[in-house]
């Protein structure tokens, strides 16, 4: 099934570890027309809460906005304002913005965001853009499958980023049923490789890998057609088609190098989308400190029925790698869940419909909702309070799948893909070994066995009025 809005890297979030805004979390989300920007700050009253303010509909120009990535300067001694991010659009542009947050989130307005300039123009809508701070490399994929990489320099005086193209490649196309998402993998002290879903050439439709120089580009062996999303977890790599979730165990992955032979095995179907549900997005949540989920959970977002932005069709499911179970987290979300993002703890975010944005808290306890609406599925400003934040909220600007997790890097969250972490996931894989492996076919896994373990409350669609 083809997704009418084929973009799922719509959310970027960053929690600075130093500087004047250490501990704050900044969020940018692209939407059907314009962008939403917000900030979240822990309260200092001991209530274990976050106060937030979001402003949406910024820079509305009539074009769909498609992708967003923060640009963090790794050479700066402290991470201070202004912060910079790139937003892509269906008008073929990557536009540079500056963001100057306020010490009190309630004071945030659209004036805190300034469009600096258009820095990249393609001959196709921008489907994905990912910035790796350590090597200052920007990876860009167009909706038509064109690849390009860019070096980013930061002015030593003003901190304003500048861009120079490294390489480009137009030998690939997008698939009809797929979505283009980029995961960075195998950095090992060098520029990581990009692994992209939803690409093909005249004969092959599999996951595509490419390095920063675009000198090493090719399809990865044994992957599936019709991919729409990809995520890394310690137990392996996960990929979704529109109808099922697949896993390649970490024991069969060699991230010390990236080549066509880095995968030494077959992807196994581990969960099926229920009848009528179309999957569009994935994210891995490590569930740090939560003993109920020692291997974390893999979130699957999508929609039930038609992709109607005005209907309550959005759904999120959670797959448990230890026992292979898959539970409904929340349904009835306004519009499809196009994008998912997680931090390195127990939290996540999702984008839904034309402008919607929500916050997920998987360790809130029974007296607090899992989902909180940050921006409703309409353009407006919103503020409020999220209670029962039991663990620190720490979002990185980019997630990288690595063979060995090294020293912390500015703005980077490393997910160590480790065979020792597979645990009970092997049993789940074995149970699914008879499931269909065709990228466009429904898996044989019993979707009716899914249970609503999380007992989530519906998101509140009427947040406190903003400024």
């Amino acid at each position: 099934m083809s997704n009418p809005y084929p973009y799922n890297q719509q959310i970027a979030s960053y929690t600075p570890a130093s500087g004047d805004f250490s501990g704050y979390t900044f969020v940018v989300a692209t939407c059907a027309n314009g962008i939403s920007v917000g900030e979240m700050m822990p309260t200092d009253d001991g209530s274990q809460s976050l106060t937030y303010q979001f402003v949406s509909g910024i820079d509305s120009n009539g074009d769909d906005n498609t992708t967003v990535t923060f640009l963090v300067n790794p050479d700066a001694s402290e991470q201070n304002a202004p912060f910079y991010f790139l937003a892509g659009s269906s008008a073929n542009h990557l536009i540079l913005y500056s963001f100057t947050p306020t010490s009190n989130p309630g004071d945030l307005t659209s004036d805190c965001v300034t469009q600096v300039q258009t820095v990249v123009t393609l001959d196709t809508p921008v489907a994905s853009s990912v910035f790796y701070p350590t090597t200052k490399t920007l990876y860009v994929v167009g909706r038509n499958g064109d690849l390009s990489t860019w070096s980013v320099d930061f002015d030593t005086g003003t901190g304003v980023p500048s861009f120079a193209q490294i390489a480009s490649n137009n030998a690939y196309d997008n698939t009809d049923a797929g979505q283009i998402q980029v995961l960075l993998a195998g950095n090992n002290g060098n520029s990581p490789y990009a692994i992209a879903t939803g690409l093909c050439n005249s004969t092959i439709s599999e996951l595509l890998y490419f390095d920063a120089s675009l000198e090493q580009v090719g399809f990865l062996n044994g992957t599936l057609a019709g991919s729409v999303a990809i995520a890394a977890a310690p137990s392996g790599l996960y990929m979704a088609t529109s109808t099922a979730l697949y896993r390649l165990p970490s024991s069969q992955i060699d991230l010390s190098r990236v080549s066509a032979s880095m995968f030494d095995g077959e992807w196994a179907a581990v969960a099926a989308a229920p009848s009528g549900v179309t999957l569009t997005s994935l994210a891995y949540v490590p569930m740090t400190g939560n003993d109920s989920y020692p291997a974390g959970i893999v979130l699957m977002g999508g929609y039930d029925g038609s992709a109607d932005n005005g209907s309550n069709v959005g759904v999120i499911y959670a797959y448990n790698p230890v026992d292979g179970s898959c539970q409904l987290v929340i349904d009835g979300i306004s519009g499809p869940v196009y994008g998912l993002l997680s931090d390195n703890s127990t939290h996540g975010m999702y984008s839904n419909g034309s402008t919607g944005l929500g916050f997920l808290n998987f360790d809130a306890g029974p007296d607090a909702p899992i989902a909180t609406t940050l921006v409703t599925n309409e353009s407006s400003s919103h503020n409020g309070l999220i209670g029962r934040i039991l663990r620190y909220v720490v979002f990185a600007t980019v997630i990288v799948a690595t063979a060995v997790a090294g020293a912390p890097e500015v703005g980077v969250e490393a997910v160590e893909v480790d065979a020792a972490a597979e645990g009970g996931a092997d049993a789940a894989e074995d149970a699914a070994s008879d499931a269909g492996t065709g990228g466009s076919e429904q898996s044989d896994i019993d979707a009716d066995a899914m249970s609503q373990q999380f007992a989530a409350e519906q998101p509140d669609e009427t947040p406190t009025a903003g400024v």
Side-chain angles (χ1 to χ4, degrees):
M1 183 182 298
S2 179
N3 182 2
Y5 186 76
Y7 310 106
N8 64 10
Q9 289 184 293
Q10 299 174 278
I11 315 169
S13 188
Y14 179 43
T15 307
S18 65
D20 296 336
F21 292 94
S22 175
Y24 287 65
T25 294
F26 306 125
V27 186
V28 181
T30 60
C31 48
N33 188 8
I35 56 179
S36 296
V37 175
E39 59 180 281
M40 309 170 73
M41 180 186 73
T43 58
D44 57 5
D45 59 2
S47 62
Q48 296 179 308
S49 302
L50 288 175
T51 181
Y52 67 87
Q53 170 84 352
F54 281 79
V55 181
S56 59
I58 298 173
D59 205 17
S60 303
N61 54 21
D63 298 308
D64 286 345
N65 291 92
T66 57
T67 182
V68 63
T69 186
F70 269 102
L71 303 174
V72 176
N73 183 359
D75 298 330
S77 58
E78 290 190 332
Q79 300 298 318
N80 286 319
F83 299 92
Y84 293 92
F85 63 89
L86 291 173
S89 78
S90 60
N92 307 351
H93 302 308
L94 268 177
I95 300 174
L96 177 66
Y97 291 86
S98 68
F99 170 51
T100 304
T102 58
S103 58
N104 175 18
D107 295 331
L108 183 72
T109 69
S110 59
D111 293 337
C112 296
V113 179
T114 302
Q115 183 181 128
V116 180
Q117 62 180 339
T118 298
V119 296
V120 174
T121 299
L122 307 180
D123 60 0
T124 183
V126 181
S128 177
S129 61
V130 179
F131 178 64
Y132 183 60
T134 308
T135 59
K136 303 176 187 174
T137 305
L138 175 69
Y139 302 77
V140 180
V141 183
R143 179 62 189 150
N144 65 356
D146 287 357
L147 315 174
S148 61
T149 53
W150 305 74
S151 63
V152 181
D153 288 320
F154 296 85
D155 186 276
T156 56
T158 65
V160 177
S162 60
F163 302 79
Q165 189 173 81
I166 300 172
S168 63
N169 181 309
N170 61 359
Y172 300 94
D173 298 306
N174 69 299
T175 62
D176 292 336
Q179 293 173 206
I180 299 172
Q181 180 188 347
V182 170
L183 172 72
L184 299 185
N187 60 326
N188 296 297
N190 301 308
S191 292
Y193 283 71
I195 301 176
T197 66
L199 297 180
C200 65
N201 60 18
S202 59
T203 59
I204 302 175
S205 177
E206 295 178 347
L207 293 180
L208 185 81
Y209 71 91
F210 59 96
D211 68 345
S213 68
L214 289 180
E215 294 177 355
Q216 300 184 55
V217 185
F219 290 103
L220 293 169
N221 292 339
T223 58
L224 301 171
S227 55
V228 300
I230 187 170
S235 58
L237 293 183
Y238 290 85
M239 179 184 65
T241 65
S242 62
T243 59
L245 177 69
Y246 296 81
R247 183 178 75 97
L248 185 69
S250 52
S251 59
Q252 299 176 4
I253 303 171
D254 181 7
L255 286 180
S256 64
R257 56 191 173 88
V258 176
S259 67
S261 61
M262 70 167 284
F263 293 173
D264 184 24
E266 295 296 325
W267 292 78
V270 294
S275 178
V277 170
T278 299
L279 300 179
T280 59
S281 51
L282 289 180
Y284 168 71
V285 184
M287 299 296 285
T288 306
N290 187 317
D291 294 337
S292 297
Y293 300 94
I297 54 177
V298 179
L299 299 180
M300 301 178 288
Y303 58 91
D304 188 354
S306 65
D308 183 351
N309 281 337
S311 300
N312 296 331
V313 296
V315 293
I316 299 174
Y317 290 87
Y319 171 77
N320 184 347
V322 171
D323 60 14
S325 63
C326 190
Q327 297 90 34
L328 175 67
V329 176
I330 189 168
D331 60 3
I333 299 170
S334 178
V337 176
Y338 288 123
L340 282 167
L341 184 69
S342 67
D343 74 348
N344 64 8
S345 181
T346 59
H347 313 102
M349 294 186 190
Y350 61 91
S351 61
N352 57 288
S354 296
T355 63
L357 183 67
F359 180 81
L360 297 168
N361 181 11
F362 291 103
D363 209 12
D367 58 341
I370 285 179
T372 300
T373 297
L374 301 175
V375 178
T376 56
N377 194 9
E378 60 188 28
S379 293
S380 56
S381 301
H382 307 289
N383 61 21
L385 194 70
I386 303 173
R388 297 285 292 173
I389 303 295
L390 303 184
R391 306 186 191 280
Y392 289 115
V393 176
V394 184
F395 282 87
T397 62
V398 66
I399 297 172
V400 180
T402 67
V404 179
E409 301 172 86
V410 174
V412 177
E413 178 185 340
V415 175
E416 183 181 355
V417 179
D418 181 7
E422 287 179 23
D426 284 331
E429 178 191 346
D430 292 340
S433 62
D434 294 330
T437 56
S440 60
E441 297 180 0
Q442 178 75 21
S443 167
D444 293 335
I445 297 173
D446 184 7
D448 293 333
M450 295 179 177
S451 61
Q452 192 169 354
Q453 177 172 326
F454 290 100
E457 297 181 25
Q458 297 297 312
D460 179 7
E461 288 286 350
T462 55
T464 307
V467 295

